[in-house]
Coordinates of all heavy atoms in Angstrom, one line a residue:
Chain A
A17 N 31.2 1.2 -10.3 CA 31.8 1.6 -9.0 C 32.3 0.4 -8.2 O 31.5 -0.2 -7.6 CB 30.9 2.5 -8.2
A24 N 31.7 -11.3 -4.0 CA 31.4 -12.8 -3.9 C 30.8 -13.1 -2.5 O 30.1 -14.0 -2.3 CB 32.6 -13.6 -4.1
P29 N 24.7 -5.3 5.0 CA 24.0 -4.0 5.4 C 25.0 -2.8 5.3 O 26.1 -2.9 5.8 CB 23.6 -4.3 6.8 CG 23.5 -5.8 6.9 CD 24.6 -6.3 6.0
V46 N 7.3 7.1 -23.6 CA 6.3 6.5 -24.4 C 6.5 5.0 -24.5 O 5.5 4.2 -24.4 CB 6.2 7.2 -25.8 CG1 5.3 6.5 -26.7 CG2 5.9 8.6 -25.7
G48 N 7.9 3.0 -22.4 CA 7.5 2.4 -21.1 C 6.0 2.3 -21.0 O 5.5 1.3 -20.5
D54 N -0.2 1.0 -20.9 CA -0.9 2.2 -20.2 C -1.1 3.3 -21.2 O -0.1 3.9 -21.6 CB 0.1 2.6 -19.0 CG -0.5 3.8 -18.2 OD1 -1.5 4.4 -18.7 OD2 0.1 4.1 -17.2
H60 N 1.7 10.1 -23.2 CA 2.1 10.2 -24.6 C 1.6 11.4 -25.4 O 2.1 11.7 -26.5 CB 1.7 8.9 -25.4 CG 0.2 8.7 -25.5 ND1 -0.5 7.9 -24.7 CD2 -0.7 9.3 -26.3 CE1 -1.8 8.0 -25.0 NE2 -1.9 8.8 -26.0
L64 N -2.8 17.0 -24.5 CA -3.8 16.6 -23.5 C -3.2 16.7 -22.1 O -4.0 17.0 -21.1 CB -4.3 15.2 -23.8 CG -5.1 15.2 -25.2 CD1 -5.6 13.8 -25.5 CD2 -6.3 16.1 -25.1
G66 N -1.2 18.8 -21.0 CA -1.3 20.2 -20.6 C -2.7 20.6 -20.1 O -2.8 21.3 -19.2
P71 N 2.8 20.2 -17.3 CA 3.6 20.9 -18.4 C 4.0 20.0 -19.6 O 4.3 20.6 -20.6 CB 4.8 21.5 -17.6 CG 5.0 20.5 -16.5 CD 3.6 20.1 -16.1
T79 N 6.6 2.1 -15.4 CA 8.0 2.2 -15.9 C 9.0 2.5 -14.8 O 10.0 1.9 -14.7 CB 8.1 3.4 -17.0 OG1 7.2 3.1 -18.0 CG2 9.5 3.5 -17.5
V171 N 14.8 -8.7 -2.2 CA 15.3 -9.6 -3.3 C 16.0 -10.8 -2.7 O 16.7 -10.6 -1.7 CB 16.2 -8.7 -4.2 CG1 17.4 -8.2 -3.5 CG2 16.6 -9.5 -5.5
P174 N 21.5 -15.7 -4.1 CA 22.3 -16.8 -3.6 C 23.5 -16.4 -2.8 O 24.1 -15.3 -3.1 CB 22.7 -17.5 -4.9 CG 22.7 -16.4 -6.0 CD 21.7 -15.4 -5.5

Side-chain angles (χ1 to χ4, degrees):
Chain A
V46 174
D54 182 348
H60 65 261
L64 293 178
T79 301
V171 61

